[in-house]
Each structure stands twice: as C-alpha cells, then as structure tokens.
Amino acid sequence: MTIKSTHGVLHMLQALLLVGVLPGGLNMAHAQPSAAPAEGAPLRVYAAGSLREALTEAARAYEARTGVKTQLTFGASGLLRERIEKGEPAQVFASADTQHPQRLHAMAASAWAQPTLFVRNQLCALAVPQLNADPAKLLGLMLDPAVKLGTSTPKADPSGDYAWEVFRKAEALKSGAYAALDAKALKLTGSPEAAQPPTGRGAYEWLITEGRADLFLTYCTNAVAVRKEVPRMSVVQMPPALQVSAAYGLTARSGDGAAAQFSAYLLTPEAQDVFRRFGFGAP
C-alpha cells in the first residue's frame, strides 16, 4: 500500500500546477476550475462523517473563491466506498483511513487517482461523568463488565477498525484484554443496521444519554464536538500505550479537473487551517 506523505503532496500540487489545474500557484483566489461541473451540477464529494463540520466549512470557502458548488455526502467510509463501487457518481472521496481510497485506486487505477494523506486524527473516549474517567483508569473502565463500551463497526467504518487496534494494544498491557474487549464492545454506529438518533440529535450524545453506552471510543474531533454540546460529558485522551493515529486518505476521479482542483485545495494552508481549527492534525 502506498499513500502519499506530505512530500508526495507537494509533488501532486506541482503536477496539478503543470497541467494548469491550479493556475497562479496556490493562490485559490484567482483559480478557475479547468473542468467545472455543468451549471446546476455541483461537484460530488463523498466524505467520512467525522469530517462533516470541517469539510463543510472548507467547501464553503472553496465555493466563495472559485464559484464551484459542492454536494457533500457524509457517512461511514467503508459504506461510502461500497456505494461508489456500485456506481454512485462520486468525484472526490475523503476517507477516515487510507485503505478504502487505496482499494478504489487498486481496483480501478485508471478511474481513481493515487490516494493522498490529507489530515490526521486520533481516537479518544467519550465518557459519562459518573465514571470519573481519566487516562490512567481508562483501560480498567473499558474492561469493567459493568461499563457499556460503545464503538463503531469495523470494516464498515474506520473508527471501528481503530477501536480494535486499541484492543490489540490493550492485550500487550494485560493478557486476555483483547478477547474481553472484542466480546463486550457494542457496535453502535457505522453500519446500515445501526440505530439512528432523532432529528436534531447527535449520534454519540443520543446513544450515551439513552444509556446504550457509558464509554464510547470515537475520534477525538467527534468527542470534543459532543462535549461542546453536552459539557457534562468527559473527553478522555488515550494513555500513550493505547494511542492510535487515524490517517485520512483522499482520492479523486482520474482526468476530472474539477475534482483534482478541489482535492488540491484541501491541501492548501487555507483549508488545512480549517481542519486544524476543528482538531485535525496536519498530514
């Protein structure tokens, strides 16, 4: 598997400049799309649900600079990738991992560009206040039979895959931890069968408030966003031995100038500043 690093990102931007996708360098104020969608047909962007707030703001800024409208579709990355494979007309795919965009590229290299790493995230724990959770107590709480441990669904949603990576790290700290966590984890989000919150309610806040989970492993950006809405919730950083980094991959339809330009914009300082304000790390 090959995902472009920051070094590779520079090469991609240089290549786009050479073919005229980014006229005038990285100054998007004067950029014009080389293959803009027809009038009334916005650029179709499929993206991980954890990117919803940040990518929406970045897309709004992009539209203000270029006049190109975007149609953003959010969901679990694995499910979005399956929809694309079945023929849905996505032009840009921003995943919460690198494997799903790499799979699109590997299955149809002529149709999808080599993926690029564009932001990073980490896994945190969202906890009810009664647990008095902190990093030192986190593994014990995760293993406690009385604590309902919520996760997303592996394979369908990278957040679930990252949770199971935490479980594997836990095994190195305590023999039998992986089996115990694998057996007790409640896959509450990320699958087509997952219960949906009422309109206007966030999934994590709703699941915890309803008592379906006491402790939820999710992206730190998600956890911080929930805590802004529900201050009583605790956001717990993973202790060093359990920390997991989430690398987000980005790919665009090959030969689609509008998709390539939008993808390149997400790597510019302006867009990266938006992601940083929402808690994402640089590639």
Side-chain angles (χ1 to χ4, degrees):
M1 179 184 304
T2 304
I3 299 294
K4 293 181 183 178
S5 63
T6 303
H7 193 63
V9 166
L10 294 176
H11 287 166
M12 188 189 84
L13 291 173
Q14 291 166 355
L16 289 171
L17 178 59
L18 288 174
V19 299
V21 174
L22 286 175
L26 295 180
N27 184 358
M28 300 303 295
H30 303 292
Q32 296 296 323
S34 61
E39 186 176 353
L43 182 71
R44 294 176 292 267
V45 180
Y46 282 33
S50 53
L51 291 166
R52 183 182 299 273
E53 292 182 327
L55 188 58
T56 297
E57 183 169 322
R60 190 179 300 121
Y62 181 74
E63 179 180 347
R65 288 199 175 275
T66 66
V68 176
K69 295 184 181 298
T70 57
Q71 178 180 305
L72 307 179
T73 298
F74 295 101
S77 298
L79 300 183
L80 291 177
R81 189 257 307 156
E82 290 178 356
R83 289 167 58 180
I84 294 170
E85 289 175 345
K86 291 175 181 177
E88 292 195 21
Q91 294 169 266
V92 176
F93 178 41
S95 177
D97 70 350
T98 57
Q99 288 86 349
H100 290 301
Q102 184 66 33
R103 176 167 166 171
L104 280 185
H105 172 70
M107 292 181 66
S110 62
W112 287 92
Q114 172 66 49
T116 299
L117 175 63
F118 75 109
V119 291
R120 294 183 182 275
N121 208 340
Q122 288 189 322
L123 224 59
C124 285
L126 189 62
V128 295
Q130 297 91 317
L131 293 180
N132 294 314
D134 61 41
K137 295 164 54 178
L138 187 57
L139 180 55
L141 290 171
M142 290 166 57
L143 289 166
D144 187 337
V147 174
K148 297 176 184 176
L149 176 63
T151 70
S152 196
T153 306
K155 296 184 180 179
D157 183 3
S159 177
D161 297 314
Y162 294 132
W164 260 255
E165 188 175 339
V166 170
F167 297 169
R168 284 188 284 273
K169 290 193 170 190
E171 178 68 22
L173 300 177
K174 184 176 178 63
S175 179
Y178 178 86
L181 294 169
D182 177 61
K184 73 170 293 190
L186 304 170
K187 305 178 186 73
L188 299 176
T189 60
S191 74
E193 298 78 26
Q196 298 300 309
T199 302
R201 298 283 297 277
Y204 303 105
E205 174 271 325
W206 176 67
L207 288 166
I208 292 178
T209 301
E210 290 291 305
R212 302 192 185 199
D214 304 310
L215 191 69
F216 208 112
L217 301 189
T218 185
Y219 299 115
C220 292
T221 53
N222 287 346
V224 170
V226 171
R227 194 171 186 277
K228 287 180 181 177
E229 298 177 359
V230 189
R232 69 178 181 278
M233 297 290 186
S234 298
V235 176
V236 186
Q237 299 289 326
M238 291 287 171
L242 295 180
Q243 284 180 359
V244 171
S245 177
Y248 284 48
L250 176 70
T251 184
R253 291 274 184 185
S254 297
D256 187 328
Q261 181 179 347
F262 181 76
S263 298
Y265 172 75
L266 296 183
L267 297 164
T268 64
E270 178 178 279
Q272 287 290 308
D273 183 60
V274 172
F275 289 119
R276 186 162 45 251
R277 285 193 284 104
F278 283 91
F280 291 92

